């Protein structure tokens, strides 16, 4: 179970104690001596079987109107599973939260409804507060045999961080003990991913201005805008070019206790994944007037917790399309005008507001990539929108580089969907 205490009991206890367990108490609650001896990857391994083909009432919770699997519901399960795996590695005396989803990719789309096996383990932990958990969703193998590569529906990696329950500060956890070549390969993938995230933090647009090529692209799109509005020319904005500000979709909702985490007063990360994914899907569909196919969740972060009872605000924006409106040489991408497919990256920004005090803070940014079976392009108009476009373009290039490295390593997260022809619809 994701939670261990009925909410009414947890609420009564909080009121009786007169303490807000979501805030820093100032005093560490962890014992001074904890068992931090290295653990094997297999110690944290856990799997769950969803008997979807056998239980039609359970299947009801996982189907959309077209009879396809609701990916948002699976994302909730994956986040819950990563929490179980994390606690098997750290023990129950710490508070573990989702810090980031490094990537979720579709490997082989389901062609028919079947029982699904969700499994994973800790694959990277140095002994500090964070750990990487690698997960997969696969068709349940026959007669207890090993899962075949072609039966893997999706793979993903979550970064979890352990905190002292009272101070809410990071706390050390056991490192991993590497015993086999396959474990060494998995650990190396996690190490590379950790290094890539550190490099990413150094190249954000808050720290690094657009480079020469990016500046040329911005200028070229600005010239396109002028051309579209110049009454002295016969050039008009094509019907398949959409301004970024008109692609935005919004949602707001009160955070109810049904979606709390095991610590009772915060919303669990899986609900945020489900909510942001479904808004991103709607945004891509509204943008293209077609049914988008999900390809991947690209590196996304959980910046602040979302308290039960707060109001969550989500904003989805078409941040980037590939092929873009202009190519890398800042010229018209004539070669792409008749492209049958378009990859679209949807950025979902989330923030939370305290109802009583009105305080608002950002809670995360989520980046989803979909495939559209038509040619459609997004055009930014303001400087802020150009920065969103550049940020998304950088992410696309970084993800492509990481996938190339993974393919060389031959790992289980080895970059599916590179050709943009495989995925799954919501």
């Amino acid at each position: 179970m994701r939670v261990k205490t009925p909410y009414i009991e947890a609420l009564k206890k909080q009121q009786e104690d007169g303490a807000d367990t979501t805030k820093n108490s100032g005093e560490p609650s962890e014992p001074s001596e904890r068992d931090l001896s290295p653990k094997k990857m297999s110690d944290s391994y856990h799997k769950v079987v969803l008997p979807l083909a056998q239980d039609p009432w359970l299947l009801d919770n996982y189907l959309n109107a077209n009879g396809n699997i609701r990916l948002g519901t699976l994302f909730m399960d994956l986040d819950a599973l990563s929490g179980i795996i994390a606690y098997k590695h750290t023990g129950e005396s710490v508070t573990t939260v989702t810090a980031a989803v490094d990537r979720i990719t579709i490997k082989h789309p389901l062609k028919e409804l079947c029982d699904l096996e969700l499994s994973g383990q800790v694959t990277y932990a140095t002994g500090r507060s964070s750990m990487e958990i690698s997960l997969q969703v696969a068709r349940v193998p026959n007669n207890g045999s090993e899962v075949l590569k072609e039966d893997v529906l999706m793979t993903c990696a979550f970064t979890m961080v352990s905190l002292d329950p009272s101070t809410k500060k990071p706390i050390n956890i056991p490192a991993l003990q590497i015993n086999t070549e396959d474990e060494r390969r998995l650990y190396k993938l996690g190490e590379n991913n950790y290094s890539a995230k550190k490099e990413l933090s150094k190249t954000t647009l808050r720290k690094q201005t657009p480079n020469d090529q990016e500046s040329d692209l911005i200028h070229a799109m600005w010239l396109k805008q002028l051309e579209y509005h110049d009454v002295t020319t016969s050039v008009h904005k094509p019907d398949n070019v959409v301004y970024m500000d008109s692609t935005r979709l919004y949602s707001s909702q009160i955070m109810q206790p049904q979606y709390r985490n095991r610590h009772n007063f915060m919303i669990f990360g899986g609900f945020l994944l489900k909510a942001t994914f479904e808004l991103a899907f709607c945004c891509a569909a509204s943008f293209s007037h077609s049914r988008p196919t999900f390809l991947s969740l690209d590196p996304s972060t959980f910046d602040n917790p979302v308290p039960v009872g707060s109001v969550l605000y989500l904003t989805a924006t078409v941040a980037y399309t590939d092929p873009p409106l202009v190519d890398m040489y800042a010229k018209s991408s004539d070669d792409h005008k008749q492209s049958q497919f378009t990859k679209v990256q949807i950025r979902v920004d989330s923030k939370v507001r305290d109802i009583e005090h009105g305080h608002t803070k950002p809670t995360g940014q989520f980046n989803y990539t979909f495939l559209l079976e038509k040619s459609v392009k997004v055009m930014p108009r303001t400087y802020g929108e150009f920065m969103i476009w550049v940020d998304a373009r950088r992410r696309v290039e970084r993800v492509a580089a990481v996938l190339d490295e993974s393919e060389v390593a031959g790992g289980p997260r080895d970059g599916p969907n590179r050709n943009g022809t495989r995925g799954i619809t919501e």
Side-chain angles (χ1 to χ4, degrees):
M1 293 179 63
R2 190 180 72 249
V3 294
K4 295 185 175 182
T5 305
Y7 184 72
I8 189 64
E9 294 182 12
L11 185 62
K12 286 180 179 178
K13 186 176 188 307
Q14 183 192 57
Q15 293 170 341
E16 291 170 358
D17 294 344
D20 187 347
T21 58
T22 66
K23 295 182 178 179
N24 184 342
S25 69
E27 294 295 328
S29 64
E30 277 298 287
S32 57
E33 294 185 5
R34 295 170 54 225
D35 182 12
L36 296 177
S37 56
K39 292 187 176 182
K40 297 182 292 184
M41 285 189 186
S42 58
D43 291 338
S44 63
Y45 178 79
H46 194 83
K47 72 176 180 179
V48 176
V49 173
L50 299 176
L52 302 182
Q54 305 174 46
D55 187 342
W57 288 111
L58 175 65
L59 183 61
D60 259 13
N61 298 318
Y62 288 84
L63 284 186
N64 64 15
N66 294 321
N68 296 320
I69 294 295
R70 291 182 65 187
L71 290 179
T73 307
L74 277 184
F75 292 168
M76 290 179 66
D77 290 343
L78 288 170
D79 184 78
L81 178 59
S82 68
I84 294 172
I85 292 169
Y87 280 108
K88 290 182 74 171
H89 184 79
T90 65
E92 297 285 337
S93 61
V94 301
T95 295
T96 300
V97 297
T98 307
V101 183
D102 298 319
R103 190 163 173 80
I104 298 178
T105 52
I106 298 297
K107 302 285 286 186
H108 300 92
L110 286 179
K111 297 180 179 179
E112 60 182 4
L113 294 175
C114 62
D115 295 344
L116 295 178
E117 178 185 282
L118 284 61
S119 61
Q121 61 189 358
V122 176
T123 52
Y124 180 71
T126 63
R128 302 186 70 179
S129 61
S130 66
M131 71 199 94
E132 181 174 290
I133 296 174
S134 296
L135 304 160
Q136 72 174 23
V137 179
R139 180 191 299 268
V140 173
N142 296 324
N143 303 321
S145 58
E146 292 293 323
V147 172
L148 301 177
K149 187 175 181 179
E150 58 268 25
D151 288 335
V152 176
L153 167 62
M154 70 174 70
T155 61
C156 57
F158 284 70
T159 296
M160 312 292 285
V161 173
S162 292
L163 310 173
D164 182 283
S166 294
T167 66
K168 311 305 178 189
K169 293 182 179 180
I171 191 169
N172 289 345
I173 61 174
L176 275 179
Q177 174 184 318
I178 308 302
N179 296 317
T180 68
E181 283 301 318
D182 190 51
E183 290 178 351
R184 190 167 289 105
R185 178 182 59 81
L186 291 172
Y187 190 89
K188 183 63 177 177
L189 287 173
E191 188 174 48
N192 292 342
N193 193 35
Y194 176 77
S195 299
K197 285 189 289 186
K198 288 187 67 175
E199 287 301 314
L200 172 62
S201 66
K202 299 176 183 178
T203 59
T204 64
L205 285 166
R206 290 181 180 271
K207 297 180 180 179
Q208 187 180 95
T209 60
N211 58 35
D212 290 344
Q213 185 183 96
E214 291 165 344
S215 296
D216 288 343
L217 286 168
I218 291 171
H219 186 72
M221 284 189 286
W222 177 73
L223 290 177
K224 276 285 184 187
Q225 287 184 47
L226 296 182
E227 189 177 1
Y228 293 156
H229 290 89
D230 189 347
V231 296
T232 65
T233 70
S234 59
V235 178
H236 299 284
K237 182 174 73 66
D239 291 338
N240 69 333
V241 175
V242 182
Y243 289 123
M244 186 181 290
D245 58 354
S246 66
T247 69
R248 293 192 177 95
L249 289 185
Y250 305 89
S251 76
S252 58
Q253 52 189 313
I254 298 176
M255 295 293 95
Q256 304 291 1
Q258 286 86 349
Y259 297 109
R260 69 193 185 277
N261 63 17
R262 63 188 290 153
H263 308 293
N264 293 309
F265 299 104
M266 293 294 178
I267 300 300
F268 93 108
F271 174 79
L272 299 180
L273 286 176
K274 176 178 179 292
T276 56
F277 169 76
E278 293 184 349
L279 186 62
F281 179 90
C282 293
C283 183
S286 175
F287 169 67
S288 63
H289 302 292
S290 65
R291 176 169 289 274
T293 297
F294 172 73
L295 293 181
S296 65
L297 167 61
D298 300 323
S300 302
T301 57
F302 295 81
D303 297 328
N304 286 296
V306 177
V308 171
S310 62
V311 180
L312 179 70
Y313 297 91
L314 301 178
T315 303
T317 306
V318 176
Y320 184 77
T321 50
D322 185 20
L325 184 64
V326 293
D327 65 17
M328 64 182 296
Y329 300 106
K331 299 176 183 177
S332 298
S333 51
D334 294 330
D335 293 341
H336 300 313
K337 284 184 178 178
Q338 303 304 317
S339 175
Q340 182 183 356
F341 296 98
T342 302
K343 285 184 181 180
V344 56
Q345 185 167 121
I346 309 295
R347 166 174 165 165
V348 182
D349 293 292
S350 65
K351 62 181 180 180
V352 65
R353 181 169 65 84
D354 182 291
I355 292 181
E356 287 81 9
H357 303 96
H359 297 154
T360 302
K361 60 183 177 181
T363 58
Q365 178 183 316
F366 304 85
N367 307 289
Y368 296 92
T369 299
F370 295 89
L371 182 71
L372 309 174
E373 292 191 28
K374 63 190 306 183
S375 175
V376 60
K377 306 176 191 301
V378 69
M379 170 177 271
R381 285 198 281 189
T382 67
Y383 187 79
E385 290 175 353
F386 279 118
M387 293 305 98
I388 290 175
W389 188 89
V390 169
D391 178 66
R393 181 176 181 272
R394 288 182 178 182
R395 186 175 299 105
V396 168
E397 292 180 340
R398 284 192 299 268
V399 168
V402 170
L403 293 181
D404 287 339
E405 291 177 2
S406 297
E407 286 173 354
V408 172
R413 292 180 277 124
D414 55 350
N417 301 316
R418 288 301 308 282
N419 59 3
T421 59
R422 295 184 297 167
I424 191 167
T425 56
E426 165 61 2

